[in-house]
Amino acid sequence: MEAWGHFELLLDAYMRKHNISKNFLVRNAQVEYTQLQNYCRGDIQRLDMHVLARICTVLDCTVQDILRFIPPRR
């Protein structure tokens, strides 16, 4: 899939930068702790747009703050 580029999740770095705990996000974004762990580690295969919307709403950020597209090398 590298021929198409890939996405990099920046959620963990964003949360550290803004001093936001995982417990806060779990409670307020209504996500499971293990699900949040997977997002923080970038260990997911398919992004859930509803989860991203809840996270962005709670963090008051845009999706570009927590997700970056890395284009393929040519």
Side-chain angles (χ1 to χ4, degrees), residues 51-63:
V51 170
L52 287 176
R54 292 195 306 264
I55 289 171
C56 287
T57 298
V58 170
L59 296 180
D60 192 27
C61 70
T62 66
V63 73

Side-chain angles (χ1 to χ4, degrees), residues 25-44:
L25 197 54
V26 164
R27 278 193 312 274
N28 293 288
Q30 299 175 0
V31 296
E32 296 291 325
Y33 190 84
T34 55
Q35 185 179 33
L36 179 59
Q37 280 287 85
N38 290 336
Y39 272 78
C40 286
R41 287 192 306 250
D43 189 25
I44 55 174

Side-chain angles (χ1 to χ4, degrees), residues 3-21:
W4 300 106
H6 64 279
F7 284 95
E8 179 181 11
L9 282 161
L10 309 171
L11 181 58
D12 195 48
Y14 184 92
M15 291 173 61
R16 280 194 313 262
K17 179 179 177 184
H18 296 280
N19 263 346
I20 298 167
S21 74

Side-chain angles (χ1 to χ4, degrees), residues 1-7 69-74:
M1 284 304 206
E2 187 61 34
W4 300 106
H6 64 279
F7 284 95
F69 175 67
I70 309 296
R73 295 183 186 180
R74 299 196 184 246

